[in-house]
Amino acid sequence: MYSKDGENYFIVDSHIHFWDGSPSNQRNRYGEGFTNCFFDYHRNLSPEEYVWSLEKFGRYTEQDLMTDLFQDGYVDTAIFQPTYLTDFYVNGFNTTERNGALVEKHPDKLIVNGAFDPRDGEGGLEALERLHERWNLKGVKLYTAEWKGESKGWKLSDPWAYRYLEKCQELGIRNIHVHKGPTIYPLNRDAFDVADVDDVATAFPELRFIIEHVGLPRLEDFCWIATQEPNVYGGLAVAMPFIHSRPRYFAQIIGELLYWLDDNRLTFASDYAIWHPKWLVEQFVDFQIPEDMQSEYGVLTTDVKKKILGLNAARLYDLEVPAGCGLSVPAEPVAGETVGAGPVPVAGQ
């Protein structure tokens, strides 16, 4: 929990990792390049005092994670989002199994999500069932640009992807997190295109599609899809760190998201260990839309910040919000209900 100026904020970091990107786990030059690309995001968008060495970034410890998130970073609950990348890493980069081992040691603080790849066919469906049986999954993380042999990606609208989403629905796995947005070396940018979200969001109204990284750099495409699909959400990982180095750019991003989606469908995420949640939480609570942009984007209220930092994710994952956070858990949008851009509260009106 984070407290400031008499307000308490329940913090859910909805996108974290416990990866092994070290040289000993790199299968080839693509694994080395992937780790280095992640490190460049970390180094270039973090405050100087939060920048690690490449060696530590490639393989940090369990103690690093627990201290950074829960002792220093104000996080109440954190959600692991796996990324396997077995074509690049010997034991996978960030797997459900590796994350899940920590969850079993700290079940009061951590949640683990599963993953699937529709190119795995029938065997993959059985593997998803096994993951669910072991960890009682409430969500999965999907990586549509992942390489598998000669294939360099897949789409949510592929026939086999439909089979897997039907399986999720059958198992009660409702939170479908999808990396859509910035590419990472050596993956192909267009395989992260947000366009296929539109199709499955309509076809599976009982599932929630949390689009990680809000489609950046295709923010406008994401917003136009999300405004018509009430079961599409925006995960702010990667978008949030611009609050430090490009605050006006961040103001534009958050302003557009609040205009098109409303404040009940945005979730905070650090993408740890790319960024440390401590400074992200502190700077977001202190942040305000610049005055010359408020006529278009309005202002960020304390209630909006509370929803984004934790209450919205708490609703998606059935987390109990402690008393004293000052806001009841907001209602979930109803599938089929008309959703679109709403009025924006403008300063002085």
Side-chain angles (χ1 to χ4, degrees), residues 128-147:
L128 177 61
E129 287 188 359
R130 289 195 295 272
L131 289 178
H132 178 65
E133 183 177 349
R134 178 167 179 181
W135 282 291
N136 188 28
L137 302 178
K138 293 184 177 180
V140 291
K141 167 72 183 301
L142 308 181
Y143 219 64
T144 57
E146 181 164 354
W147 290 8

Side-chain angles (χ1 to χ4, degrees), residues 197-254:
V197 174
D198 193 7
D199 182 271
V200 292
T202 303
F204 296 92
E206 300 303 318
L207 301 181
R208 303 147 170 160
F209 293 89
I210 301 102
I211 305 308
E212 300 295 342
H213 323 306
V214 293
L216 291 173
R218 302 178 180 88
L219 180 65
E220 187 171 3
D221 286 352
F222 169 72
C223 286
W224 279 95
I225 290 171
T227 198
Q228 72 178 29
E229 303 287 351
N231 56 338
V232 170
Y233 296 71
L236 290 172
V238 175
M240 189 72 85
F242 286 110
I243 200 171
H244 169 65
S245 58
R246 298 281 312 280
R248 290 184 66 85
Y249 180 51
F250 176 74
Q252 179 187 0
I253 292 170
I254 198 72

Side-chain angles (χ1 to χ4, degrees), residues 51-63:
V51 176
W52 290 348
S53 67
L54 176 59
E55 181 182 12
K56 177 179 178 180
F57 185 81
R59 186 181 174 92
Y60 47 95
T61 67
E62 172 186 342
Q63 187 59 52

